Amino acid sequence: MALFTQIETMSPPATQALTIFIKCAGVAFTTLLVISCATGDELTLHVGTAILVLLTSVILFFARPVRLRALALVFLLLAIGVSHAVDRYFWMGVWNHGYPWPYPDLFDDTRDAGVVGSISPFMDEVSTVCFLVLLITAALAFAFYLGLRSKQS
């Protein structure tokens, strides 16, 4: 209780600074949490995905409209799900069964013989495809939000 009485007696600039500090800490924590959950122990992270998650976390904590914040929260959850879904699709579908993949014929010669060496090029492909899916999703979500906003006007 003493902490709350100290906050109540603070001057308005100090209260605003504390609020901004707490929101920035929330952005950092949320960004690291989502990136950690999205990559787990085995997935690589695309820089673009990290930037999208960071921007979405900023929107989540600093935006005023509730719909925009809700959309940001849904996108952060989708970032985790899309990351694992693309990874699973690649290793279970593309690698094992030859499902379609945006990169043409990269491993046609190695599928039957197995891969000798690093699988890092494949992991980079998975992270790039994951980023592109998230980028398209973010663009569609932003367009959806702007469409909702224009209908209200």
Side-chain angles (χ1 to χ4, degrees), residues 5 63 88 115 124:
T5 54
R88 182 168 174 82
V115 175
D124 291 341

Side-chain angles (χ1 to χ4, degrees), residues 117-131:
S118 175
I119 61 168
S120 127
F122 306 120
M123 294 176 74
D124 291 341
E125 284 183 14
V126 169
S127 68
T128 301
V129 170
C130 178
F131 165 67

Side-chain angles (χ1 to χ4, degrees), residues 85-103 105-126:
V86 170
D87 182 62
R88 182 168 174 82
Y89 175 80
F90 179 78
W91 294 110
M92 300 300 171
V94 177
W95 190 264
N96 289 341
H97 302 293
Y99 289 173
W101 188 246
Y103 292 91
D105 302 328
L106 183 63
F107 51 18
D108 276 350
D109 299 333
T110 60
R111 179 175 289 136
D112 296 329
V115 175
V116 177
S118 175
I119 61 168
S120 127
F122 306 120
M123 294 176 74
D124 291 341
E125 284 183 14
V126 169

Side-chain angles (χ1 to χ4, degrees), residues 68 71 139-153:
L68 185 59
L71 199 58
L140 290 173
F142 188 65
F144 174 74
Y145 174 74
L146 290 178
L148 283 178
R149 227 174 140 196
S150 67
K151 287 180 184 179
Q152 289 177 352
S153 300

Side-chain angles (χ1 to χ4, degrees), residues 4 10 16 70 84 118:
F4 292 118
M10 294 173 72
Q16 289 174 345
H84 289 285
S118 175

